[in-house]
Amino acid sequence: MTRPKTQPDEQVLEAAYRLIHSDGPEALTFERLARACGLSGSTLVQRFKSKAQLKQRTLLYAWDGLDRKTEDLAGSIPKTPAGAIQLLVALSKGYGDIESYAQGLLVLREDLRDPVLRARGAAWKAVLSKVLAGCFADVPDMPEDIGLLMASHWQGSLLWWSFDPDMELTAYVEHSLKRFVVALSARNP
């Protein structure tokens, strides 16, 4: 008698995330995931119960990865404005070209629809803002919410790049963030 294949949830969720990211959230079905990870559809249904739970678990898995990446980067950058730029540029890697970035916006839509996923986004915003604020701790006269302001500028630069993606994304983000820091410095000579 052959035993059924087993895979840790992490491997299954990674395969599910790749499906969502490449083909959109609606492409995540038990049938397609079964083909992608090698488990049977019935095994996946037993594990995840419903498509909604599978999608939520997949996106929570993605948030876990972003939390780890943010924590790792935060521990490795200098605590300076240049370090803040370095962190945000590093977080911008992996978005890919405009088509990949646009597909990622469909994933973000799923995060916005689900209160559990929205809460993860809010928690990440708080952590990221705190890390960025720490990079400005030794700079006099910075606004109290400098971390959130810089994170907001970063998110805006990602969006504006997407309308005119003539430049490589991380180069665009880095240029935009440097201009943001220069503008802040100019107001405090």
Side-chain angles (χ1 to χ4, degrees), residues 77-97:
I77 59 160
K79 304 305 181 240
T80 63
I85 292 170
Q86 182 182 338
L87 180 138
L88 293 173
V89 168
L91 286 175
S92 301
K93 292 179 180 169
Y95 282 117
D97 64 7

Side-chain angles (χ1 to χ4, degrees), residues 2 12 31 84 137 158:
T2 60
V12 175
E31 180 183 341
L158 293 169

Side-chain angles (χ1 to χ4, degrees), residues 36 55 69 81 92 154:
K55 191 183 301 182
K69 184 175 181 179
S92 301
W154 169 57

Side-chain angles (χ1 to χ4, degrees), residues 1 75 77 89 114 126 139 155:
M1 173 189 266
I77 59 160
V89 168
D114 183 324
V139 179
Q155 287 293 298

Side-chain angles (χ1 to χ4, degrees), residues 88 146-160 172-181 183:
L88 293 173
I146 184 60
L148 179 58
L149 290 171
M150 188 166 195
S152 298
H153 183 85
W154 169 57
Q155 287 293 298
S157 71
L158 293 169
L159 179 63
W160 293 126
Y172 183 91
V173 166
E174 184 173 19
H175 176 74
S176 181
L177 291 172
K178 284 179 178 178
R179 290 179 58 216
F180 176 81
V181 169

